[in-house]
Amino acid sequence: MLRRATALLARPVSSLRARPFSTDVAETPAGNPAFYEAWKKVVPHIEPPKTPLSFMKPRPPTPASIPTKLTVNFVLPYASELSAKEVDMVIIPASTGQMGVLPGHVATIAELKPGILSVHEGNDVTKYFVSSGFAFIHANSFADIIAVEAVPIDRIDANLVQKGLAEFTQKLNSASTDLEKAEAQIGVDLHSALNGALTG
Amino acid sequence: MAMAALRREGRRFTPLISPNPIAAVRSSIMPAEEQVPLGVRSISTQIVRNRMKSVKSIQKITKAMKMVAASKLRAIQSKAENSRGLWQPFTALLGDTPSVEVKKDALHKLTAGPDKETKYVILGEKAKAQLIRDSKKDIVLNITELQKNPLNYSQVSVIADDILKNVEFDALRVVFNKFQSVVAYLPTVSTVLSPEVVEKECEAGGKLGDLDSYEVEGGETKSEILQNLAEFQFSCVMFNAVLENACSEQGARMSAMDSSSRNAGEMLDRLTLSYNRTRQASITTELIEIISGASALEG
C-alpha cells in the first residue's frame, strides 16, 4: 500500500497547484487598471464590475495609408442597421448641410438634422431618412452614425407626408403659446425635410 | 341501529370520559393534532391531503409565473440585443473612464466612492430596498414601475431628461446587470461625463486627449455640441442599461420559478409517498382487526 508513497512524496508540490481553483480570481482585464486598483482597495473580495470597454471589439489604430473602404456603424435604438460594414462613401445630413464622408476623412463630430443619409457601396445606393442624432467620424476611417429613428426612403408614404405638412403648417399659424409654436415648428421642419427627400 | 346510536353518544362524550389507553399510547408517539376521536379507527390522512393540495396549487402558480417570465424574457432579450450597438460609438469616441476623478457623482443603483458627494437615482424597487437603509438622504430620485408598459426609447429618454433636470452632476455612473444568459449576468458600470468635465479632461490630455483632434460640425460652440452629446449619450446608455437590466430580471425570475416548481414537484412526490403509505397501513390494520376478530370467534 505504501509502495507508491515515495513517488507521491517525490512529486513536486507545485504541480498540486497547477490547476487553478474555479474560485480563484481571474487576472484583471486590461483597459482600466486604475479603476480596478481603486476597487481592490475598497472591496478586495468582490470582483470589480465590468465596464463597457470590456464588451467592445477593439477598434484598429489609425493606419499610415488611407484605406480604400470606409467602415460604417449605423445604429438605432431598436436595431443595428449597419454593423462594421465596409462601404465606399456615406452622405450624412449634418446640421450644417449634407456632408460626404470618404475613407480618410478628417475626424469629426457632427450633429444630424432630419434628412437623407445615403450609403454608397459600389453602384448600390441605400437611402435612409433619419430624424436626428449624431455622427462621429474617426481618424481610422470608421464612421459611427447614431440616429433616433431611420427608415428606408421607399417606405415613406408621400400622401401622408403632404397631409402632415399641411396639418402642422396650420397648427403653426394657429399656435398661441411658445410650446405649441415650437412643437408645430418641429413638425413642419420634419415634414418639409421628408417632402424634400421624396421629391428631390 | 342501537350500536350506531351508542357510538354516536360515545363520540359526543369523548371529551368527558377519560381517554382510552390506545389513544394515550398513540399520542405519546404521534403529534397531538393526529389524535383521532374515539370510534374512528382509520389513521387520519386529512393533513397530508391538505398539504398535497396546497403544494400542488403553489406548483401551478410558479409554473405559470415561469411561463410569463419566459415569454417576457424572449421579447426583451431581442430588444436588448438589438440595442447593444447603441452605446458603442460613444465609448469609441469618449472612451471608458470609470476612474475619472470628479466631485459630484450621480450614480444609478450602486456606490463605490468614499468621501465624495454621491447621489443616487434609483430605478425600480430592488435597489431602493437595499439603499434606503444606510443612504436614505442621498437618494434624490426614485422611479418605479418602469416595466408596466413595454420599454421603448422615448419612454427612457423622458426618464433620462427627468434625471438630467433634477440632478446636478459631474459624472453619471449607470450601474446595471448586463444580460449574458438566463442564469448569468455581469454587473456593469458605464460612465457618462458632464460636458464641463469632458472639456477639462480633454485639455488635460490622457484618455480623452484625442477628442481635441475632432472637428465639430453644427452648433455655435463646442460646449453646446458637447452638452447635446452628453445628454444623448446618457439617454442611449440608459436605454441599453434599462433593457439589459430588465432582461436580467426576467431571466432571474424565470430560473427562480423553474427551480421552485421543481422543488414543489419533489415535495409533492414525498407527500404522495407518505400519504399512500399511511393509507396502506390503515387498510392493513383494518384487515388484521377483521381477521383476528373472526379467528377469535372461531376459536
Side-chain angles (χ1 to χ4, degrees):
Chain A
M1 198 190 142
L2 290 172
R3 247 180 302 164
R4 306 204 57 207
T6 47
L8 274 173
L9 282 175
R11 199 166 59 173
V13 183
S14 61
S15 71
L16 289 171
R17 285 283 293 151
R19 201 156 38 119
F21 294 117
S22 61
T23 49
D24 276 355
V25 181
E27 300 100 85
T28 43
N32 298 294
F35 174 66
Y36 290 120
E37 266 167 40
W39 179 276
K40 280 270 156 65
K41 257 182 222 159
V42 186
V43 264
H45 57 284
I46 300 176
E47 234 179 277
K50 299 271 186 277
T51 51
L53 204 60
S54 55
F55 300 119
M56 253 182 79
K57 250 203 295 187
R59 299 276 173 97
T62 312
S65 61
I66 294 172
T68 53
K69 294 274 185 183
L70 182 74
T71 314
V72 178
N73 291 306
F74 178 31
V75 291
L76 304 173
Y78 52 86
S80 292
E81 205 69 41
L82 305 175
S83 143
K85 198 174 181 198
E86 300 207 321
V87 300
D88 293 320
M89 178 174 78
V90 287
I91 298 174
I92 296 170
S95 54
T96 46
Q98 295 290 101
M99 188 169 87
V101 180
L102 288 161
H105 193 281
V106 66
T108 309
I109 302 170
E111 219 174 331
L112 306 185
K113 62 166 193 206
I116 294 180
L117 169 82
S118 45
V119 180
H120 297 249
E121 192 186 1
N123 289 327
D124 287 348
V125 181
T126 323
K127 282 187 175 177
Y128 298 94
F129 185 83
V130 296
S131 61
S132 60
F134 268 97
F136 312 138
I137 297 139
H138 302 281
N140 54 4
S141 294
F142 267 64
D144 294 319
I145 303 157
I146 314 158
V148 175
E149 184 69 71
V151 275
I153 203 119
D154 50 357
R155 285 199 212 149
I156 295 170
D157 188 348
N159 291 331
L160 280 178
V161 172
Q162 291 295 345
K163 221 170 113 190
L165 185 59
E167 193 183 310
F168 275 103
T169 320
Q170 197 234 327
K171 257 189 202 168
L172 185 61
N173 291 333
S174 65
S176 51
T177 62
D178 278 351
L179 178 70
E180 275 177 36
K181 213 171 264 177
E183 275 173 2
Q185 185 62 50
I186 291 169
V188 169
D189 284 352
L190 177 72
H191 281 89
S192 39
L194 266 172
N195 203 18
L198 285 176
T199 51
Chain B
M1 222 17 225
M3 272 304 283
L6 195 66
R7 201 182 291 161
R8 228 177 296 135
E9 284 302 294
R11 199 178 298 160
R12 207 199 298 163
F13 286 122
T14 334
L16 299 177
I17 54 172
S18 63
N20 60 337
I22 302 168
V25 169
R26 195 184 276 161
S27 71
S28 66
I29 304 164
M30 289 187 178
E33 68 259 28
E34 284 194 17
Q35 214 170 36
V36 282
L38 185 78
V40 179
R41 279 211 211 84
S42 64
I43 302 161
S44 170
T45 50
Q46 190 76 42
I47 294 159
V48 181
R49 226 174 321 141
N50 277 350
R51 283 209 59 193
M52 274 167 70
K53 216 187 278 169
S54 78
V55 169
K56 213 181 274 172
S57 60
I58 285 171
Q59 192 188 25
K60 263 183 207 153
I61 292 168
T62 54
K63 256 188 192 158
M65 282 177 89
K66 186 199 153 191
M67 294 299 218
V68 171
S71 74
K72 274 189 185 165
L73 175 73
R74 212 169 306 134
I76 296 178
Q77 192 180 350
S78 64
K79 261 191 189 173
E81 274 162 9
N82 282 335
S83 76
R84 275 188 191 156
L86 197 60
W87 50 263
Q88 296 196 6
F90 293 106
T91 312
L93 178 73
L94 299 167
D96 188 14
T97 49
S99 57
V100 73
E101 288 282 319
V102 287
K103 241 179 111 193
K104 276 188 191 146
D105 223 345
L107 271 153
H108 277 278
K109 291 197 171 179
L110 204 92
T111 175
D115 67 73
K116 276 173 204 150
E117 214 175 310
T118 312
K119 297 263 178 258
Y120 305 106
V121 176
I122 300 170
L123 303 184
E125 297 282 351
K126 194 91 181 170
K128 184 180 146 200
Q130 298 282 326
L131 284 175
I132 210 157
R133 264 185 292 169
D134 60 351
S135 37
K136 197 174 176 192
K137 59 181 191 311
D138 293 331
I139 297 173
V140 252
L141 209 63
N142 183 14
I143 301 162
T144 52
E145 297 189 345
L146 206 60
Q147 285 195 57
K148 271 213 160 154
N149 309 317
L151 295 162
N152 58 26
Y153 181 75
S154 36
Q155 192 185 340
V156 173
S157 54
V158 167
I159 294 169
D161 199 40
D162 248 14
I163 293 169
L164 289 171
K165 259 190 231 153
N166 291 319
V167 184
E168 215 176 277
F169 67 97
D170 285 336
L172 290 160
R173 295 188 211 276
V174 186
V175 180
F176 61 99
N177 272 327
K178 192 180 156 66
F179 181 79
Q180 199 181 28
S181 74
V182 179
V183 286
Y185 7 92
L186 306 164
T188 309
V189 181
S190 358
T191 312
V192 180
L193 299 178
S194 74
E196 296 88 47
V197 174
V198 169
E199 245 171 313
K200 216 165 58 192
E201 288 280 310
C202 194
E203 276 160 25
K207 266 187 186 168
L208 288 176
D210 296 346
L211 201 64
D212 251 347
S213 64
Y214 285 84
E215 247 174 52
V216 171
E217 292 266 331
E220 273 88 63
T221 56
K222 190 170 181 179
S223 64
E224 196 178 313
I225 282 275
L226 282 178
Q227 174 86 31
N228 287 346
L229 192 63
E231 284 175 13
F232 191 46
Q233 180 189 12
F234 179 54
S235 74
C236 288
V237 168
M238 266 275 288
F239 180 63
N240 179 250
V242 162
L243 280 176
E244 297 278 359
N245 221 14
C247 205
S248 307
E249 185 195 325
Q250 296 299 348
R253 175 167 297 144
M254 195 181 118
S255 64
M257 286 303 133
D258 186 39
S259 63
S260 64
S261 45
R262 208 176 315 128
N263 269 351
E266 273 170 25
M267 193 183 264
L268 196 61
D269 282 351
R270 269 206 309 277
L271 286 174
T272 317
L273 192 68
S274 81
Y275 173 74
N276 286 344
R277 209 174 265 166
T278 319
R279 199 193 48 183
Q280 200 58 51
S282 79
I283 291 169
T284 316
T285 319
E286 271 170 29
L287 278 176
I288 287 171
E289 278 168 2
I290 292 165
I291 292 164
S292 53
S295 66
L297 283 179
E298 268 171 28

